Amino acid sequence: MEGLVVLDAILEKLDARDVVMVACVSTRLRSCAFDDSLWRRFCARDFGVSSPVAPNGEPCFSFKATYELWNESFGMYPLPLVKRTKQCWEGISSWLATNFPEAKDTLRKGASEAKLKLVEDTLELKLPMAMRLLYRFCDGQETVPRDTSEHRHLAPLGIFGGYEFYEHVVNVHLLPLDRVVVETREFEAALGSVKSKRVIVAASYYAEKWFFLDSVDGQLYVGSNNVSINGEAFPCVPHTLIRPRVDATWDVPQDALLLWLEEYSRRLHSGMIQVRKFRKARVINLFPEEPPSCSVAITNGVKVRASTVLVPEVSSATGDYYYAYSIRMSLQPDGCLLDGVYYQSCQLYSRHWIIKSKDVVVADVNGEGVIGKYPLLLPNGDEFVYESCTPLPASPGFVEGSFTFVPGRLTKPEGRQFKVQVARFHLEVPEYIF
Amino acid sequence: MASEAVAVKIQEGVAVDAVVPAASETSAQRKILLKSVEGEEFLVDELFARGSKMISNMIDDGFTEGAIPLPNVTAPVLSKVVEYWKHHVGKSETDKDAREFDRAFVKDASSSVLFDIIMAANYLDCKPLLDLACQAVADAIRDMNVEQVRGFFGITNDFTPEEEAAVLEENREWSNALTVTGNGQKESNEGGNIVLP
């Protein structure tokens, strides 16, 4: 008995292939090597698979059979990368299942190796390995409308979320391979230059926001304002983390796409990025919900949350960077407290906004209302949210200011005006761009 | 116990009477007596002896008088195990000296020595040592073919011809399944788990 325990301790340190070789030694070693509990551990170790289910979702009668099917399907990739991509993707799709099921329903099932090869041959480039693996698990979203009337209900379902300010609406979808080919070729045609080694992976409905992978340096880029003119784009992942090739220090390629997805998954799970109502639908809203990217201040019972995102598609590397910000105001349950008295409502009258870029004042605005509105706040009422956008000539910068409120209503003030602080929030080019 | 004439293996280079340790001594100073299957006694710091979960439990259960008998461990093997504890217990996992010791420890160890250490580590419930020795055996096996593994374990082929054919066929299928070299996968072959034909 003890001998078997020890044999098992040795076998579990081997690769599956070596274990099958050991099975050829004798009947005793064969029964140890084919013990399904060993293969249960191999499934977990090599593929992150914890139940006997094949890649296509069919149940298997043993963990060994399960391992064989996963190995057949994914064994052409470094197994640590398979496991990591699988776990990252499952993290995102399980979050969607809980928080945004209508978007999860748009996810297509994985593409085949044959399909990936066809894409590579058609575009005449090699797809980065993590992109191939991602598309093996999911071939993008089924959100290309069959007719324009479907736009309205498909547009908000981008799994990479978006934002809106004034008339600029962004919602980023993961493209299926067929669209990847079409859009990549259109870009190449538009740019007219030497065949670039870039492939589009995600794009926005409405506004022109494009994400593409560079198959040479492995980085993920998002197109700037000038992308259709000269291909200008911003890197989305810190350069230092990327390793497109295997070498002595990294035995698994560190692909920007996978790093980007892992960071995105972290932000979804931490509540930094949440689903919010957008007109009649719901969207994944990229304005951060949590500090430190979201500043919070409460004055006299009025709570103001402020957060910002870089808007790369209207920014230019040589010109201004544009930052959209979202201001969310609400009234505490006890109401508005002023000079020792509680009031059951208050209304915004004016704003004072200061925007600084590297200590130089870019804007110092005094004006009435916000985006033409004078929000009335009630205790436990919905947050009043508005978005706006500002250019920033040089990074970093910050925004701060105050709103002037009146207790009661503007048409029937019940007390003196008071200032509500907007806690300073910072504008700087982020490490990860979503 | 102390009155028996026994050979006391000196671990510290200083002669020490085999007496029951005083209860007031801390575990760092207290010494435990371990007895191999041949009856050879090893005096070991309690700190190191606790490298074995089994011994640690016995100490906690009050087994502090006399020698702890280890009928499943021979003196040469026990000596090696104590060496291991001295280099590992109380050290961090990434201690450079400990890793260097490990490398030397398994480097030219014969298969019988490794097996003995594995059995002892399993019996004594010393997981890090068990892992180290099992990994060494696994590393050796990895580069072997079926015949060589037989020789290594000293096992005879007891398959019927049909059984042997079946299992060899399965082995062949596994080797073939991993010889894919589709374009774009060349880099992945450096990952080590793919065999090029």
Side-chain angles (χ1 to χ4, degrees), chain A residues 357-377:
Chain A
S357 159
K358 280 193 168 159
D359 294 329
V360 173
V361 173
V362 168
D364 189 334
V365 178
N366 270 298
E368 289 193 4
V370 286
I371 57 163
K373 300 193 171 147
Y374 299 86
L376 174 73
L377 302 182

Side-chain angles (χ1 to χ4, degrees), chain A residues 106-109 134-135 138-142 174-177:
Chain A
T106 66
L107 296 178
R108 293 156 53 87
K109 65 180 175 73
L134 172 66
Y135 275 91
C138 173
D139 184 10
Q141 295 185 252
E142 192 74 70
L174 179 65
L175 298 183
L177 286 172

Side-chain angles (χ1 to χ4, degrees), chain B residues 25-76:
Chain B
E25 289 172 358
T26 63
S27 73
Q29 300 162 335
R30 216 160 49 190
K31 301 212 189 296
I32 301 292
L33 205 53
L34 305 176
K35 194 150 80 163
S36 73
V37 66
E38 305 95 330
E40 211 172 306
E41 293 193 345
F42 290 71
L43 196 60
V44 180
D45 282 0
E46 176 179 325
L47 179 68
F48 295 142
R50 283 188 184 271
S52 152
K53 269 231 188 101
M54 188 198 86
I55 293 175
S56 191
N57 289 339
M58 287 177 87
I59 297 172
D60 291 337
D61 287 344
F63 202 128
T64 51
E65 308 207 343
I68 294 182
L70 304 174
N72 284 13
V73 190
T74 63

Side-chain angles (χ1 to χ4, degrees), chain A residues 40-51 70 74 78-96 130 133-134 136-138 252 257-259 261-266 268-269:
Chain A
R40 177 174 45 79
R41 276 170 277 158
F42 284 165
C43 283
R45 179 191 72 181
D46 294 345
F47 296 109
V49 166
S50 54
S51 40
W70 277 88
F74 290 99
L79 298 187
L81 193 61
V82 175
K83 185 174 172 187
R84 198 171 140 203
T85 308
K86 175 177 177 293
Q87 288 176 327
C88 174
W89 183 247
E90 282 174 352
I92 294 177
S93 73
S94 69
W95 184 93
L96 290 170
L133 269 170
L134 172 66
R136 288 291 311 276
F137 290 113
C138 173
V252 170
L257 181 61
L258 183 54
L259 291 164
L261 288 170
E262 286 175 335
E263 178 62 26
Y264 188 65
S265 183
R266 276 192 286 272
L268 290 176
H269 283 100

Side-chain angles (χ1 to χ4, degrees), chain A residues 4 13 33 45 47 93 133 135 177-178 207 224 228 246 251 279 286 317 327 364 388 418 430:
Chain A
L4 283 177
K13 295 190 181 345
R45 179 191 72 181
F47 296 109
S93 73
L133 269 170
Y135 275 91
L177 286 172
D178 289 337
S224 79
S228 342
V246 170
D251 60 7
R279 303 191 187 154
L286 290 178
I327 309 295
D364 189 334
S388 185
F418 61 98

